[in-house]
Amino acid sequence: MDRIKLIGFMCLLLFYACLDRNATTESNESKKSIIRPKWNNAEINSDLNLSTPEIIKKTGYPSETHVVTTKDGYILTLHRIPGENGSLPVLLVHGAFSTDIVWITLGKGKALAYLLADQGYDVWLGNLRGTTYSREHISLSTSEWKYWDFSFHEMGIYDVPAMITYITNMRSQPLHAYIGHSLGTSGFYIMATERPKIARKVKMMVSFGPGAFADHMRSPTRLILYLINEIEPILRLLFHDELIPQSAYNILKTLIGCNLNFYFAEVCANFLIFTPNGYDPEQLNLTHLPFIVSHLPAAVSVKTVVHYVQVIQSGKTRQYDYGPTKNLMIYKSVEPPEYNLSSITLPMAIYYSNNDLFADPIDVKRLYNLLPNVIDMYEVPRPSFNHAGFIWAKDAPKLLYERVLKIMKENYSSSIL
Ligand SMILES: *[C@@H]1O[C@H](CO)[C@@H](O)[C@H](O)[C@H]1NC(C)=O
Ligand SMILES: *[C@@H]1O[C@H](CO)[C@@H](O)[C@H](O)[C@H]1NC(C)=O
Ligand SMILES: *[C@@H]1O[C@H](CO)[C@@H](O)[C@H](O)[C@H]1NC(C)=O
Ligand SMILES: *[C@@H]1O[C@H](CO)[C@@H](O)[C@H](O)[C@H]1NC(C)=O
Ligand SMILES: *[C@@H]1O[C@H](CO)[C@@H](O)[C@H](O)[C@H]1NC(C)=O
Ligand SMILES: *[C@@H]1O[C@H](CO)[C@@H](O)[C@H](O)[C@H]1NC(C)=O
């Protein structure tokens, strides 16, 4: 059985590797400025096995781990870099295939979580259901398909509300800002439309590479997502609807050399980062690659992928489509209900980029036109900035975070006036 799983999985990824068209077409110019890894960089290597809180501590910040249980029984982990008494709480939520490790990858003085802590914020890092730090449930196990019976809808109506409620109760004050990347933004939009009472506890929201509409999504990953959509029943049978069994992934990463052999770092980077997200090799510090591949990709449910394909194909941001008959039973309508984005009244700041293959500028502008209270709408001023750039670009502090920190400060001053 394990062998069948592995073969099935390898076929998927081989198919995916064939899509890597741009890997061989880079210009001499960009080759020069690629940051070559220091092979066997001892500092990075010693972090490979460390968890988010361990790395935070090692970087010289205090760190805490908190656990929240959602209304539907999922047990989620929040990591925290606590601020002083009276500091403003902020919550950061990662995208698909990720964990909260993405907020600290760039390291001290660069990664957003540390910059926020340096500015005196009380920094909370959320981990969505199913991912590395949030795989427990009060009664279900990750080896049951029932556990994986969720998409970003459930993240939006259960995970995000549970995190926000926990933090605001503990701090007895509103959340100053929610910062989301990709899927982490989708969860927030769904929370804000379906659980507006919770949204009132949040002062502002920052979106990186927002995930609302996706019909202009350009990533070659589209094809593999469509394939997953088609073979969902097989995946349910083989993997209990967990898209990427960690064991299969680890074997594969070893095979293409991501884990063991730094020599293949660039092949690996093309495969895992540039092909899906957009090509921008100068902005990825390859020294971080062993760290990234030792922690990611994290698990995702097949239903999340299928729901995402529905968003791409329908051009609508709406609840999961079970087909007319079951829709009628669940929603009392043949079509699934749409999320009413124009009902989100809290201040929103939106950051997007030209070469983001997931959040295409056309789709982002459509979202912008629906949201009634956008306080900042900003295209990152680098044409090749990609979907992963929001978390891993070496110049993200200058190109993006400086502006975000400024907007967060301004929104604070305006809300206390
Ligand atoms: C490949 O690179 C070219 C030039 O940089 C770009 O125009 C094109 O969109 C890229 N294609 C893919 C699939 O990334
Ligand atoms: C690119 O590199 C190749 C081989 O290294 C060289 O022959 C060619 O002239 C270079 N092209 C440019 C535009 O520098
Ligand atoms: C990480 O853990 C694995 C298995 O526990 C071990 O083989 C490896 O040497 C460790 N790597 C580092 C850098 O500590
Ligand atoms: C912060 O609050 C806690 C609990 O209320 C208290 O124990 C601690 O002394 C306070 N710290 C400062 C620096 O005021
Ligand atoms: C790349 O990452 C390493 C390890 O964090 C760091 O020492 C180095 O300064 C980084 N290089 C650039 C250009 O950011
Ligand atoms: C969506 O929300 C807006 C603002 O609250 C409201 O005016 C509109 O009627 C809502 N649309 C639907 C379809 O409920």
Side-chain angles (χ1 to χ4, degrees):
M1 192 63 174
D2 270 348
R3 190 178 301 169
I4 296 174
K5 280 187 188 179
L6 187 64
I7 291 171
F9 187 66
M10 297 277 289
C11 291
L12 278 179
L13 281 153
L14 280 176
F15 170 77
Y16 182 56
C18 294
L19 300 172
D20 190 1
R21 284 163 295 165
N22 261 12
T24 50
T25 59
E26 60 184 284
S27 68
N28 293 5
E29 205 48 51
S30 71
K31 263 198 168 126
K32 256 180 245 155
S33 38
I34 292 175
I35 306 159
R36 304 284 163 186
K38 288 190 200 133
W39 308 131
N40 302 318
N41 180 313
E43 190 196 324
I44 295 278
N45 284 0
S46 65
D47 284 353
L48 294 187
N49 287 352
L50 300 184
S51 65
T52 301
E54 288 168 332
I55 294 163
I56 292 173
K57 268 200 197 105
K58 210 178 137 197
T59 310
Y61 292 82
S63 108
E64 293 175 4
T65 296
H66 295 254
V67 170
V68 297
T69 305
T70 66
K71 284 214 168 115
D72 60 344
Y74 289 78
I75 300 170
L76 312 177
T77 298
L78 287 163
H79 293 127
R80 180 190 190 194
I81 310 176
E84 303 275 307
N85 291 351
S87 59
L88 300 170
V90 295
L91 169 63
L92 283 66
V93 178
H94 60 80
F97 301 106
S98 295
T99 71
D100 60 6
I101 204 90
V102 299
W103 303 112
I104 59 170
T105 304
L106 286 175
K108 195 178 165 74
K110 285 187 172 173
L112 187 57
Y114 297 136
L115 294 179
L116 288 163
D118 294 343
Q119 298 258 323
Y121 289 104
D122 181 20
V123 182
W124 294 80
L125 309 175
N127 287 281
L128 295 166
R129 58 180 60 195
T131 61
T132 316
Y133 303 115
S134 297
R135 291 172 68 86
E136 307 275 311
H137 185 279
I138 51 170
S139 61
L140 300 171
S141 127
T142 51
S143 60
E144 296 172 70
W145 80 262
K146 203 74 203 122
Y147 176 95
W148 295 101
D149 186 19
F150 63 79
S151 77
F152 38 87
H153 178 73
E154 284 73 19
M155 298 174 196
I157 62 168
Y158 297 122
D159 294 4
V160 173
M163 292 176 191
I164 293 173
T165 304
Y166 181 86
I167 297 168
T168 53
N169 281 350
M170 181 178 171
R171 293 296 317 276
S172 313
Q173 69 183 89
L175 187 68
H176 178 60
Y178 176 106
I179 302 176
H181 177 226
S182 193
L183 183 72
T185 68
S186 319
F188 186 91
Y189 304 143
I190 292 166
M191 177 282 294
T193 56
E194 305 300 303
R195 298 284 183 271
K197 269 193 196 145
I198 306 282
R200 277 184 226 124
K201 300 177 185 189
V202 185
K203 288 288 191 196
M204 70 175 291
M205 193 250 177
V206 172
S207 299
F208 291 160
F213 298 103
D215 33 324
H216 293 87
M217 185 267 215
R218 282 172 292 160
S219 174
T221 309
R222 188 178 191 135
L223 298 177
I224 202 166
L225 298 179
Y226 283 12
L227 181 70
I228 290 164
N229 185 36
E230 292 303 321
I231 61 169
E232 192 272 341
I234 300 170
L235 292 172
R236 173 172 300 196
L237 199 70
L238 291 182
F239 306 136
H240 314 289
D241 267 353
E242 176 179 10
L243 179 58
I244 297 170
Q246 212 61 47
S247 54
Y249 228 102
N250 286 340
I251 293 169
L252 191 100
K253 282 192 291 192
T254 304
L255 286 181
I256 57 170
C258 295
N259 279 6
L260 301 178
N261 194 336
F262 290 73
Y263 198 65
F264 288 108
E266 288 176 47
V267 177
C268 183
N270 275 318
F271 188 80
L272 287 178
I273 299 174
F274 298 131
T275 302
N277 292 301
Y279 196 61
D280 192 11
E282 290 160 52
Q283 284 296 316
L284 180 72
N285 184 342
L286 282 177
T287 314
H288 294 147
L289 197 68
F291 179 78
I292 293 170
V293 297
S294 72
H295 287 94
L296 305 180
V300 147
S301 72
V302 171
K303 193 169 177 181
T304 301
V305 173
V306 174
H307 195 174
Y308 184 56
V309 171
Q310 293 176 357
V311 172
I312 299 172
Q313 292 181 333
S314 68
K316 290 179 175 154
T317 173
R318 59 183 190 184
Q319 294 195 36
Y320 192 87
D321 190 350
Y322 291 95
T325 319
K326 206 168 165 196
N327 284 348
L328 208 54
M329 265 161 49
I330 297 175
Y331 307 123
K332 313 229 176 329
S333 68
V334 177
E335 299 266 307
E338 291 190 33
Y339 301 115
N340 188 356
L341 294 165
S342 45
S343 70
I344 306 178
T345 51
L346 78 158
M348 309 283 279
I350 297 177
Y351 302 92
Y352 65 101
S353 66
N354 177 58
N355 190 34
D356 185 333
L357 299 189
F358 283 95
D360 189 277
I362 298 173
D363 292 332
V364 176
K365 280 168 191 156
R366 188 167 158 211
L367 167 70
Y368 167 76
N369 288 331
L370 285 172
L371 294 173
N373 191 4
V374 177
I375 55 171
D376 196 23
M377 169 77 171
Y378 186 66
E379 178 177 333
V380 178
R382 175 180 169 82
S384 58
F385 201 83
N386 68 19
H387 193 62
F390 296 97
I391 45 178
W392 290 329
K394 73 174 166 58
D395 293 331
K398 220 183 268 141
L399 292 170
L400 176 67
Y401 300 158
E402 265 177 23
R403 187 179 175 102
V404 173
L405 293 170
K406 189 160 157 276
I407 291 287
M408 286 171 62
K409 228 176 219 160
E410 280 167 8
N411 191 57
Y412 179 62
S413 332
S414 68
S415 67
I416 54 172
L417 280 179

